[in-house]
Amino acid sequence: MNANEPREQGTGGWSQFGDTPPSAGGFPRRDTVIMQQPPPPPPPSPRKPGVSAGRKAIAGLALAAMAIGGGAVGAVVATSFQDDRVASAPGPVFKQAGNQLTVAEVAEKVQPSVVMIQGSTGEGSGVVLSDDGLILTNNHVVAGAGQGGGQMTVKFSDGKTAKASVVGTDPATDLAVIKAEGMSGLIAATLGDSDQLKVGDAVLAIGSPLGLDGSVTAGIVSALDRTLTVGGEQEQQLPPGWGQRGQAGQATTIGGAIQTDAAINPGNSGGALVDAAGRLIGINTAIATGGGTGNIGVGFAIPINTAKQVSDQLISSGKVSHAFLGVSVTDASGDVPGALIRQVTAGSPAEKAGLKQGDLITKIGDKAVDGGDTVVGQVRGFKVGQQVQISYMRDGRTSNVTVTLEEKK
């Protein structure tokens, strides 16, 4: 297989409808000061009731946080009574919970920026990028909904509709940009930083699963940096109400995908995956299924950092430049996982760096390689001109080489 071309697939694999796949701190310590036993106090003299000036009561304030999806941020209560004569360390620092949003508040904030995309043979979702109607979605949504003339209808959260046309598509990353006609004053999504995501972060998926526009599901980031192959099935059975059966496009391998347990189903493709602050951190693109069309709890999204890089190029020029390594790889068959180089393209970055046929790639960039798909997905996530370190085995010895990626011609 070519590391810059989709990997050949059979009837299985991952797809947007596809088959089963491939230091917390603590309270600061207060040292105890042993006080000498004071002499017996003199007989009390009559006085008015009051509070002794030698004592102060210091009460900590409890800060409650709302749960966001599968995660919750909490605060603790600290209440202490201390003598003025006893030195103590500073109290714990509390994280204010006022900047957190409830699930309902996140949904209300994001829904106006998520649309349904309708066509003659399919439906999907999209995310508004600009107030004049630029919308980011999946390539397979555009390919399905735009068949027969390339015209699509976009339905907004307030029920309004508009015709839309394709600005540009990138099958290699399964991304596309369309433009809704005659629109102004739309609410564009707020973009987050997918590089800052951590496993366990709370997320919401918003889109039009099974034609139910404006649907919201909650979950967490269950894994990061997944490699998956989408498309390539000979035939897909579309959900009820989606019209006729459709032929799938060419298979493509996507690297760096975000895995989530937020429910994602057919029709969510192209929709928003947002964090607990309502920032767009991914474009929902694929699910793992048990043989049917429904989600079994594993969905995947293209990181927004990748999607922004691609969409910016599509908007400016209608096409995307991709990095080129210049090797054809296959899965390793021995005890050591990796990608076996079957062929090296003459004059390619791989050849210039000294990689040869028969080398076993075990790591590319920061990613351990467990098969050919990993190399393909990682290369597609890199930029033209980027320098990447590759670890490989040759004759039983491990070596490293730095490759400067070039633009695919």
Side-chain angles (χ1 to χ4, degrees):
M1 63 177 283
N2 191 310
N4 303 281
E5 297 296 336
R7 188 177 183 188
E8 293 185 2
Q9 299 290 312
T11 59
W14 301 92
S15 77
Q16 61 271 27
F17 306 100
D19 296 323
T20 302
S23 112
F27 289 101
R29 175 182 174 182
R30 286 192 170 94
D31 294 327
T32 302
V33 178
I34 301 175
M35 307 298 291
Q36 293 184 354
Q37 181 69 28
S45 58
R47 61 177 178 176
K48 295 181 180 180
V51 178
S52 170
R55 300 263 180 186
K56 294 181 180 178
I58 304 174
L61 179 65
L63 304 179
M66 301 301 295
I68 307 297
V73 180
V76 295
V77 180
T79 304
S80 64
F81 297 89
Q82 70 180 46
D83 195 295
D84 287 342
R85 296 168 292 176
V86 181
S88 62
V93 177
F94 297 100
K95 181 178 178 182
Q96 292 290 339
N99 59 352
Q100 298 293 320
L101 302 176
T102 66
V103 171
E105 288 169 338
V106 173
E108 184 179 13
K109 176 181 178 181
V110 178
Q111 280 178 319
S113 302
V114 181
V115 303
M116 173 189 277
I117 300 173
Q118 300 170 302
S120 58
T121 62
E123 296 173 344
S125 305
V127 181
V128 177
L129 293 179
S130 67
D131 60 358
D132 61 351
L134 288 172
I135 295 169
L136 176 63
T137 186
N138 284 138
N139 175 69
H140 71 259
V141 171
V142 171
Q147 289 179 0
Q151 281 294 320
M152 294 157 284
T153 299
V154 174
K155 182 180 179 182
F156 297 91
S157 62
D158 59 3
K160 295 180 180 179
T161 61
K163 296 294 184 182
S165 57
V166 175
V167 174
T169 64
D170 184 37
T173 57
D174 194 25
L175 290 168
V177 175
I178 64 176
K179 177 71 181 295
E181 301 173 359
M183 301 304 298
S184 63
L186 299 178
I187 300 176
T190 301
L191 304 188
D193 183 356
S194 52
D195 289 342
Q196 301 301 314
L197 287 175
K198 296 180 180 179
V199 174
D201 283 348
V203 292
L204 295 183
I206 303 178
S208 305
L210 306 176
L212 303 172
D213 59 304
S215 296
V216 179
T217 55
I220 62 169
V221 173
S222 51
L224 292 168
D225 203 17
R226 294 297 199 197
T227 300
L228 58 142
T229 300
V230 297
E233 298 88 349
Q234 292 181 348
E235 191 176 59
Q236 296 173 349
Q237 175 64 58
L238 301 179
W242 274 39
Q244 56 187 312
R245 292 172 179 254
Q247 294 294 324
Q250 188 178 29
T252 187
T253 300
I254 298 173
I258 303 165
Q259 180 181 320
T260 179
D261 67 348
I264 295 175
N265 287 282
N268 272 119
S269 291
L273 187 71
V274 301
D275 63 16
R279 295 168 299 205
L280 182 67
I281 48 89
I283 299 298
N284 299 319
T285 190
I287 58 175
T289 70
T293 60
N295 178 39
I296 59 173
V298 183
F300 301 92
I302 300 169
I304 192 57
N305 290 6
T306 299
K308 185 179 187 306
Q309 175 189 335
V310 171
S311 63
D312 285 347
Q313 295 183 65
L314 290 176
I315 293 169
S316 62
S317 64
K319 61 180 182 179
V320 179
S321 61
H322 289 288
F324 173 64
L325 177 59
V327 295
S328 176
V329 294
T330 188
D331 295 347
S333 58
D335 295 333
V336 179
L340 184 67
I341 298 179
R342 298 170 56 189
Q343 183 178 358
V344 179
T345 304
S348 67
E351 185 186 58
K352 294 175 184 178
L355 292 174
K356 297 181 179 180
Q357 180 181 3
D359 288 346
L360 180 67
I361 299 177
T362 57
K363 189 175 183 180
I364 180 167
D366 296 327
K367 176 75 170 177
V369 174
D370 55 10
D373 278 350
T374 306
V375 175
V376 176
Q378 288 297 108
V379 170
R380 285 187 173 155
F382 295 137
K383 299 178 181 179
V384 175
Q386 184 172 346
Q387 290 187 326
V388 180
Q389 187 176 66
I390 295 177
S391 299
Y392 65 96
M393 293 186 66
R394 180 185 299 169
D395 299 327
R397 293 174 22 177
T398 300
S399 301
N400 298 307
V401 66
T402 299
V403 180
T404 301
L405 301 176
E406 300 175 3
E407 183 176 359
K408 182 183 178 183
K409 304 300 183 181

